[in-house]
Amino acid sequence: MLPSITDVLSELSDTLDGVQHGSYRQALDLLRDAPSRVLVSGQGRSGMVAQMAAMRLMHLGLAAHAVGEPTAPPVREGDILVIISGSGETPISNAFASQAQNEGASVLAITKAPTSTLARAADVTLTVAPITSAQFAGSMFEQAALILLDVIVLDLSGGATDIYAEMAQRHTNLQ
């Protein structure tokens, strides 16, 4: 039987309820105290989530970039690299984490694999461990990662209406 909207929302809620509050707070603190830039990366569909997260962080007023975009700067000391990888074993993501740390940047990993290579290498890891899902492949992880990153942006904004107005002013008008 195909999953219903109610089934998917229930899976998503259960998945996000499993995110550890301590790790979430560490991620918030890392991003709140961002001294420089935030670069966001992922491969495949996780890469699309990364692009959306970079946009939201930019709307918030951070110097945020999606890795791989032509205008993305190099990672440097003081930067934060956010990497989204379900398996935590994606070779290019792990290479990016290593390069970032070699440059003196911090790494925030979002993964469903808390003992993965990426999770072990990261300064802060947010584990989004999907429950058994009726959805195809990694859909639940990607959905949960996107919502988790949007909630982080909401938390960082403080929810004030004037902040939302500023965020709207940063939204592109070339669409």
Side-chain angles (χ1 to χ4, degrees):
M1 175 162 49
L2 294 174
S4 69
I5 291 172
T6 303
D7 295 333
V8 171
L9 291 174
S10 179
E11 288 178 358
L12 188 55
S13 178
D14 290 346
T15 296
L16 289 169
D17 281 345
V19 174
Q20 296 298 310
H21 293 287
S23 298
Y24 181 83
R25 283 278 177 241
Q26 288 179 317
L28 275 180
D29 291 344
L30 183 66
L31 291 166
R32 185 176 289 117
D33 299 334
S36 189
R37 300 173 297 213
V38 179
L39 294 99
V40 190
S41 180
Q43 303 305 307
R45 287 172 39 135
S46 292
M48 291 184 227
V49 171
Q51 290 176 337
M52 289 186 279
M55 180 188 294
R56 281 291 183 243
L57 292 166
M58 178 276 297
H59 288 155
L60 190 58
L62 297 176
H65 306 273
V67 172
E69 292 296 315
T71 57
V75 66
R76 295 286 187 242
E77 184 174 351
D79 291 345
I80 298 167
L81 176 60
V82 178
I83 302 177
I84 305 161
S85 172
S87 70
E89 299 298 340
T90 309
I92 196 162
S93 293
N94 286 319
F96 286 172
S98 178
Q99 178 67 31
Q101 290 177 324
N102 288 341
E103 294 291 336
S106 298
V107 175
L108 167 58
I110 299 174
T111 183
K112 62 183 176 183
T115 60
S116 64
T117 302
L118 179 62
R120 288 190 313 269
D123 297 284
V124 177
T125 299
L126 285 172
T127 303
V128 178
I131 59 164
T132 301
S133 176
Q135 295 185 66
F136 174 74
S139 295
M140 180 55 57
F141 170 76
E142 294 139 1
Q143 293 161 4
L146 175 60
I147 290 174
L148 178 62
L149 286 160
D150 267 349
V151 170
I152 286 172
V153 169
L154 291 173
D155 265 353
L156 292 171
S157 77
T161 52
D162 57 328
I163 297 294
Y164 290 164
E166 288 177 28
M167 291 173 73
Q169 289 297 313
R170 292 184 189 103
H171 188 74
T172 186
N173 60 1
L174 296 175
Q175 291 182 338

